[in-house]
């Protein structure tokens, strides 16, 4: 029989890990069988292996057509692979491991200079542990780093700035202990920054403004 093995290696984004691995079932169509296998390696990479076995060396035209027809039926629902990832820092925060979470998120943010999302995740973590001032400062520093120097229109820059303003507005919707819409929140600053985010086209800002009124 003819057997071939195909291996696909996926390197996960920094700061992420596999949350759940799917259960993959073997499939067959005509004389051909495919046995898939998925696993996480020690270095965190994801390996997906397909072993394909064809026991016959020759097929008649009728067998080929029947095999193709059967493959079209089984392949769409059996060969697609969906792997769920989770952010390690956020997962540690949810588990109450705040020191480990902050260490992870700081490392991710330092390694991703110029990328907004890891910085915003760290800002949210600061708020969650009662460090609202540190969260705001981090975001304000981001605004300066991502400001357009020549004033020219830049959709990517505006999208980043919108996301940062939105996060600042959301942060100000909390009091200094991280409680949302509680006495001690700064409604004026929240509205100011959310409106700025909305002016830059950040769609989520409208929901934040709705919370205020």
């Amino acid at each position: 029989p003819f057997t071939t093995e195909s291996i696909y290696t996926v390197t996960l984004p920094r700061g992420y890990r596999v949350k759940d691995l799917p259960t993959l079932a073997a499939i067959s169509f005509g004389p051909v069988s495919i046995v898939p296998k998925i696993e996480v390696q020690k270095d965190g990479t994801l390996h997906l292996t397909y072993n394909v076995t064809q026991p016959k060396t020759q097929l008649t035209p009728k067998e080929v057509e029947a095999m193709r027809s059967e493959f079209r039926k089984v392949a769409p629902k059996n060969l697609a692979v969906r792997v769920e990832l989770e952010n390690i820092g956020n997962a540690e925060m949810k588990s109450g491991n705040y020191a480990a979470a902050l260490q992870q998120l700081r490392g991710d943010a330092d390694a991703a200079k110029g990328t907004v999302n890891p910085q915003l995740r760290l800002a949210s973590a600061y708020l969650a542990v009662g460090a609202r001032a540190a969260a705001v400062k981090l975001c304000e520093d981001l605004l300066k780093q991502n400001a357009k120097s020549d004033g020219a229109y830049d959709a990517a820059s505006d999208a980043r700035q919108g996301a940062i303003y939105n996060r600042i507005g959301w942060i100000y919707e909390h009091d200094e202990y991280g409680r949302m819409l509680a006495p001690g929140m700064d409604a004026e600053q929240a509205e100011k920054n959310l409106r700025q985010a909305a002016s830059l086209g950040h769609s989520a800002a409208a929901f934040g403004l709705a919370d205020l009124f």
Side-chain angles (χ1 to χ4, degrees):
F2 172 77
T3 301
T4 183
E5 181 180 72
S6 299
I7 301 175
Y8 301 89
T9 300
V10 180
T11 300
L12 305 185
R14 179 188 168 91
Y16 284 83
R17 65 189 177 198
V18 174
K19 183 177 181 181
D20 291 304
L21 284 177
T23 299
L24 304 182
I27 66 170
S28 61
F29 45 97
V32 178
S33 65
I34 300 178
V35 180
K37 180 181 179 182
I38 188 168
E39 57 187 354
V40 179
Q41 303 298 300
K42 290 182 178 180
D43 62 0
T45 58
L46 191 65
H47 277 200
L48 176 62
T49 304
Y50 289 101
N51 283 296
V52 182
T53 301
Q54 159 61 293
K56 299 182 68 173
T57 57
Q58 291 184 329
L59 296 172
T60 66
K62 186 176 181 180
E63 287 176 320
V64 170
E65 185 55 39
M67 186 175 67
R68 286 175 175 169
S69 177
E70 192 172 350
F71 178 77
R72 294 189 190 102
K73 295 177 182 177
V74 300
K77 60 181 180 180
N78 288 288
L79 290 182
V81 178
R82 182 179 184 275
V83 178
E84 185 176 357
L85 306 182
E86 66 178 355
N87 182 271
I88 299 171
N90 286 349
E92 294 289 356
M93 286 294 295
K94 290 179 182 178
S95 298
N97 301 323
Y98 299 130
L102 290 173
Q103 181 180 11
Q104 176 72 43
L105 291 168
R106 286 192 188 107
D108 294 344
D110 289 342
K113 293 297 185 183
T115 304
V116 168
N117 286 339
Q119 312 281 341
L120 296 184
R121 280 193 288 270
L122 178 58
S124 296
Y126 281 153
L127 176 66
V129 298
R132 188 179 71 174
V136 171
K137 184 179 185 307
L138 175 58
C139 290
E140 289 178 341
D141 289 344
L142 272 178
L143 285 175
K144 295 174 184 177
Q145 295 168 17
N146 286 275
K148 292 176 289 186
S149 59
D150 58 2
Y153 178 78
D154 181 342
S157 178
D158 280 356
R160 291 193 297 269
Q161 295 292 80
I164 299 167
Y165 277 115
N166 184 71
R167 189 60 54 94
I168 296 175
W170 177 79
I171 290 169
Y172 275 123
E173 286 186 302
H174 297 73
D175 67 9
E176 294 182 355
Y177 302 100
R179 296 174 299 191
M180 190 171 187
L181 303 178
M185 64 173 282
D186 193 329
E188 181 179 352
Q189 284 296 326
E191 181 181 358
K192 173 185 173 182
N193 283 280
L194 289 170
R195 289 193 182 280
Q196 183 65 31
S199 73
L200 291 168
H202 194 80
S203 58
F207 298 103
L209 287 167
D211 288 335
L212 294 174
F213 300 102

